[in-house]
Amino acid sequence: MAHILALDQGTTSSRAIVFDEAGSVRAVAQREFRQIFPKPGWVEHDPAEIWETQLATAREALAQAGLTASDVSGIGITNQRETVVLWDRRTGRPIHNAIVWQDRRTAEDCDRLRHSGHLPSFRRKTGLMLDPYFSGTKIAWLLRNVPEARSLAAEGHLAFGTVDSWLIWNLTGGALNGLHATDVTNASRTLLFNIHDERWDDELLDALEVPASILPEVRSSSEVYRETAPGLLGGPIPIAGVAGDQQAALFGQACLRTGMAKCTYGTGCFLLMNTGRTAIRSTHELLTSPAWRLRGHTDFCLEGSVFVGGATVQWLRDGLGIIQTSPESEALAASVPDSGGIVLVPAFTGLGAPHWDPYARGALLGITRGTTAAHLARAALEAIAHQVADVVSAMEADSGVAVSEMRVDGGAVANDLLMQIQADLARIPVIRPKVTETTALGAAYLAGLATGVWAEPADIAEHWQVDRVFEPGPDHDRTAKLRARWKKGVERAKDWEEG
Ligand code: ADP
């Protein structure tokens, strides 16, 4: 039986999962690493911790599954997207902590680029927005603020990578001739990559003052990149699949045909719809990105990114202490029939799609003396679902296609109440599959297609199975009222933080 090792490098933890050729999980290892918050709105990771936790979990997962390197057909890598690492090629030493996708420090840089008329060009070529979310302004910040960065770049010693590149480089030998590469999905989130001709773009590089010498080579999402350095995993294993986490989840959910959509409920929520060979230009503030490049063809997707999804529940737990564990949010929210009229807008790190306001901050509205922790928990679950419902509406308007159903995954989909609220507020069936490890599974599929474990993408669709379908409830009036009140709340949360 063939096996694939998926490395799922997420925002809060590194995971490694061994899948067999039936797409079943054989072993899982996971390690959390530090979230570093140097200032309000800033989020960093230590790249060394990312690498060490990822390597350790890879070894653990292989040991748990009782496999050696020669039993593994390939490695698939999937990763938190947009997060930026810059390192010295000679030593492998990062010149600074990684700046994480959630980090807002470059909000004013984005304003400046917009004011100087750059938005249309970035939007047309990259399919993205000018928002601190993406890598470009984070790279520029590091080049400006780390004293030795510019000179290292001028001498050709500096390397930039999103987290996939950082892992590939380390896995293939690091300073000893490591491969400096990325895939189209990760490249597409940097603000530097033209998604139509699939090249780094000189005009965009100039606008951000990023030298081309630091960029990785861009490859497809499913091909043999190179074998891992022999000492690391007990023998060489080909790295054969690479994709950003959300695109990998779209693949893992077998959303292989135009119009199929999935939403992942982790720290943030990410709704992606496959739009086939067409890169749809959004007129409703969504993102256009490659879904994957596979066997010589690129498929595209429309994406709505919500920055704070499951993290709303984390805040109830860690910030307020009204629950001990995230799953407790369900029972607490279910102890009241509604949110008692309150609206929570969890714009803790600004608002993403379709509002794009880096200056928005969280708001809690409609509080009375009768408001309890249970109402707040209910409002938190509603807030997650409202944000996704906003994206569903924008996606339907952009694509001209009604989103007929949504496949879901991520940590928070274990919450049945949240899933029901989601179906009610978005007014579409929400479908939870049996295997919700879809991000890692997507990366495994991409690697397995490149190494002959599976012959065709259609083979993987056969492995996908439904666990439960949540149908929208009948009460349209109630939904309409909740949606209207939410929209009012969002307006109040916008434009709060002073630039
Ligand atoms: P990530 O990959 O972004 O780190 P995960 O997919 O592991 O995230 O999901 C974790 C998120 O889901 C956390 O923000 C957590 O608060 C939330 N979560 C986990 N279980 C539940 C639950 N039963 N109900 C609501 N939220 C949950």
Side-chain angles (χ1 to χ4, degrees), residues 366-388:
I367 309 166
T368 66
R369 289 187 67 177
T371 302
T372 65
H375 293 124
L376 189 50
R378 184 111 193 170
L381 299 188
E382 287 178 359
I384 298 171
H386 276 301
Q387 294 184 95
V388 172

Side-chain angles (χ1 to χ4, degrees), residues 9 14 27 33 53 55 71 82 150 152 154 192 210 212 217 242 287 292 320 391 410 467 471 489 496:
Q9 205 304 302
S14 298
F33 52 84
T53 52
L55 180 62
D71 302 319
E82 298 101 9
R150 282 271 167 214
L152 280 176
L192 303 172
V210 172
E217 174 194 345
V242 181
L287 310 175
W292 42 76
L320 298 185
V391 173
D467 167 46
E471 295 286 351
W496 178 261

Side-chain angles (χ1 to χ4, degrees), residues 8 10-13 15 30 101 245-246 264-268 270 309-315 317 325-330 381 384 409-416 418 439:
D8 178 1
T11 307
T12 56
S13 70
R15 288 143 56 76
Q30 176 164 7
W101 58 274
D245 52 8
Q246 300 311 322
T264 300
Y265 296 74
T267 304
F270 299 87
T312 317
V313 172
Q314 236 163 4
W315 175 70
R317 188 192 68 188
T325 65
S326 295
E328 279 175 34
S329 62
E330 183 166 5
L381 299 188
I384 298 171
D409 53 61
V413 302
N415 189 319
D416 288 348
L418 170 62
T439 304

Side-chain angles (χ1 to χ4, degrees), residues 189-391:
R189 311 291 291 194
T190 59
L191 278 177
L192 303 172
F193 188 73
N194 185 322
I195 59 170
H196 307 289
D197 61 14
E198 300 193 331
R199 279 171 206 273
W200 299 116
D201 189 284
D202 289 336
E203 183 202 357
L204 306 180
L205 288 164
D206 281 351
L208 285 164
E209 297 178 46
V210 172
S213 65
I214 69 172
L215 301 171
E217 174 194 345
V218 183
R219 303 259 193 111
S220 77
S221 318
S222 177
E223 67 176 63
V224 174
Y225 277 57
R226 194 185 279 178
E227 288 185 334
T228 56
L232 288 174
L233 297 171
I237 307 176
I239 298 170
V242 181
D245 52 8
Q246 300 311 322
Q247 281 93 336
L250 189 69
F251 203 69
Q253 285 273 24
C255 290
L256 303 176
R257 290 194 316 276
T258 304
M260 294 181 82
K262 71 89 204 177
C263 189
T264 300
Y265 296 74
T267 304
C269 292
F270 299 87
L271 177 60
L272 274 70
M273 181 198 264
N274 184 334
T275 64
R277 298 280 148 83
T278 319
I280 293 182
R281 288 210 171 119
S282 173
T283 51
H284 294 81
E285 313 298 317
L286 299 178
L287 310 175
T288 307
S289 292
W292 42 76
R293 182 167 178 80
L294 179 69
R295 302 193 168 168
H297 294 289
T298 301
D299 282 339
F300 290 88
C301 59
L302 269 179
E303 169 175 333
S305 330
V306 170
F307 299 146
V308 176
T312 317
V313 172
Q314 236 163 4
W315 175 70
L316 297 182
R317 188 192 68 188
D318 304 339
L320 298 185
I322 63 170
I323 47 174
Q324 301 301 310
T325 65
S326 295
E328 279 175 34
S329 62
E330 183 166 5
L332 185 59
S335 69
V336 286
D338 55 42
S339 71
I342 65 166
V343 169
L344 170 64
V345 185
F348 305 151
T349 56
L351 285 168
H355 310 290
W356 298 106
D357 182 353
Y359 300 109
R361 287 297 178 270
L364 182 55
L365 298 151
I367 309 166
T368 66
R369 289 187 67 177
T371 302
T372 65
H375 293 124
L376 189 50
R378 184 111 193 170
L381 299 188
E382 287 178 359
I384 298 171
H386 276 301
Q387 294 184 95
V388 172
D390 288 350
V391 173

Side-chain angles (χ1 to χ4, degrees), residues 47-48 51 85-95 157 159 166 169-170 173-176:
W51 164 235
V85 188
L86 293 185
W87 69 93
D88 186 329
R89 299 175 194 273
R90 296 167 302 176
T91 58
R93 242 200 38 248
I95 64 164
H157 300 316
W166 173 239
W169 191 78
N170 279 292
L176 296 173

